[in-house]
Amino acid sequence: MKFIAFPLLAAAASMSTMLLAAEQIDKDTLFEMRTYYAPEGKIDELHQRFRDHTLKYFEKHGIKSIAYFVPEGRNPERKLIYFLAFPDRAARDRAWKAFFADPAWKEAAKQSEKNGKIVAKVEQVFLEATDYSPMPKIEAKGPRVFELRTYTTPEGKLNDLHARFRDHTMKLFSKHGMENLIYWVKTPGQEGVDTTLIYLLAHKDRNAGRKSFDSFRNDPDWLKAKSESEKDGSLTVPNGVKSEILVPTDYSPLK
């Protein structure tokens, strides 16, 4: 398995990460998933800005860093995927407004872009935990890899999918060596709010995750639960299951 190498954290950033590592996520937390795409040749500069500046100013303005990931392997899209947490949407909006208005951040951003923009595109999704989701501690337990999975259901089937995860899937994942970290739905007002489940698993490594899913899919208890839950049709649309194996950056609180 190939991991992406990053320089060591500065002492201040390391201390910030250590403090965050002991925190427990609250059940009513609002999560923001952000995906940044860097221009060609700029991903290392983007990481450097997060490592040296961004996390520090996030913390200053009440933006809680949860995890920072890159896809395992080559990362041809030069993606950075990260998760933030807030008490609610109003707190989120206030925090971001203060962050962008901070003169020190403005100067850091300006200096980081003196040789050109380091972010080409930004995507964001607002998430809340399902009623059956565990609430993991933000801790560095690595080395391990993470799997971000997104399910899209037919209209009217999301609650059935939740029931299957709540009653069967999660405990079978645990049985086969997968760690259930958190399960999310989109918050109201976003596309796919009634048809999308997003969740995060942890594996020892990519090969261990593959073996776990192979054994899970052949488990008689899973085959029975799947069959009974799909008497009226599949709970996912064609090609409605997306999976991405992620590795944490060196500055990610969750590892």
Side-chain angles (χ1 to χ4, degrees):
M1 179 180 62
K2 181 180 177 182
F3 285 91
I4 296 175
F6 296 96
L8 294 175
L9 284 167
S14 295
M15 181 61 69
S16 173
T17 299
M18 289 169 62
L19 291 172
L20 281 167
E23 293 188 12
Q24 178 77 39
I25 302 173
D26 186 84
K27 189 73 175 178
D28 296 323
T29 293
L30 170 72
F31 298 88
E32 185 173 358
M33 178 173 70
R34 296 175 68 87
T35 303
Y36 285 11
Y37 297 83
E40 185 75 39
K42 294 293 185 178
I43 187 66
D44 289 342
E45 293 176 45
L46 180 60
H47 288 306
Q48 193 69 42
R49 187 168 77 183
F50 270 89
R51 185 183 296 113
D52 294 346
H53 303 290
T54 310
L55 266 73
K56 175 175 65 177
Y57 292 112
F58 277 178
E59 183 176 9
K60 174 182 177 181
H61 294 290
I63 301 172
K64 182 182 292 186
S65 293
I66 301 297
Y68 294 80
F69 298 121
V70 292
E72 185 187 44
R74 293 177 57 249
N75 191 16
E77 295 181 284
R78 301 173 298 280
K79 288 199 297 187
L80 170 65
I81 302 168
Y82 67 99
F83 294 87
L84 305 173
F86 305 90
D88 52 43
R89 184 59 183 266
R92 179 264 179 198
D93 292 346
R94 288 194 300 270
W96 273 110
K97 182 178 181 180
F99 169 80
F100 283 123
D102 189 318
W105 162 250
K106 288 181 179 181
E107 180 60 24
K110 179 181 177 181
Q111 289 300 315
S112 71
E113 296 181 343
K114 60 186 177 182
N115 295 318
K117 295 289 186 180
I118 61 176
V119 178
K121 184 173 69 170
V122 176
E123 297 172 345
Q124 67 187 88
V125 182
F126 296 104
L127 304 166
E128 59 188 7
T130 66
D131 64 350
Y132 53 87
S133 178
M135 289 287 105
K137 290 183 179 179
I138 309 307
E139 55 189 346
K141 291 176 60 178
R144 55 182 173 167
V145 301
F146 298 82
E147 185 171 2
L148 183 65
R149 295 176 67 86
T150 303
Y151 287 16
T152 303
T153 72
E155 291 291 339
K157 292 289 188 179
L158 184 56
N159 285 338
D160 294 332
L161 183 64
H162 287 316
R164 189 168 75 186
F165 269 90
R166 185 185 297 112
D167 298 339
H168 304 288
T169 311
M170 287 180 64
K171 66 182 178 183
L172 291 170
F173 277 175
S174 296
K175 173 183 175 182
H176 293 283
M178 293 178 266
E179 184 178 357
N180 296 290
L181 288 179
I182 190 164
Y183 289 76
W184 292 292
V185 291
K186 293 182 176 183
T187 60
Q190 300 177 91
E191 183 179 355
V193 66
D194 296 321
T195 57
T196 306
L197 171 67
I198 300 172
Y199 64 98
L200 193 64
L201 302 174
H203 309 290
K204 181 180 178 181
D205 53 44
R206 187 184 190 117
N207 190 49
R210 186 181 298 113
K211 289 180 177 178
S212 291
F213 263 107
D214 286 344
S215 60
F216 162 78
R217 292 186 182 107
N218 291 306
D219 189 313
D221 290 336
W222 163 246
L223 294 173
K224 180 182 178 182
K226 184 176 187 296
S227 176
E228 291 180 350
S229 68
E230 297 187 345
K231 289 178 180 178
D232 297 322
S234 176
L235 300 189
T236 56
V237 300
N239 300 314
V241 177
K242 306 296 183 184
S243 170
E244 189 166 24
I245 301 297
L246 305 173
V247 292
T249 67
D250 64 295
Y251 52 85
S252 177
L254 178 67
K255 291 188 176 72

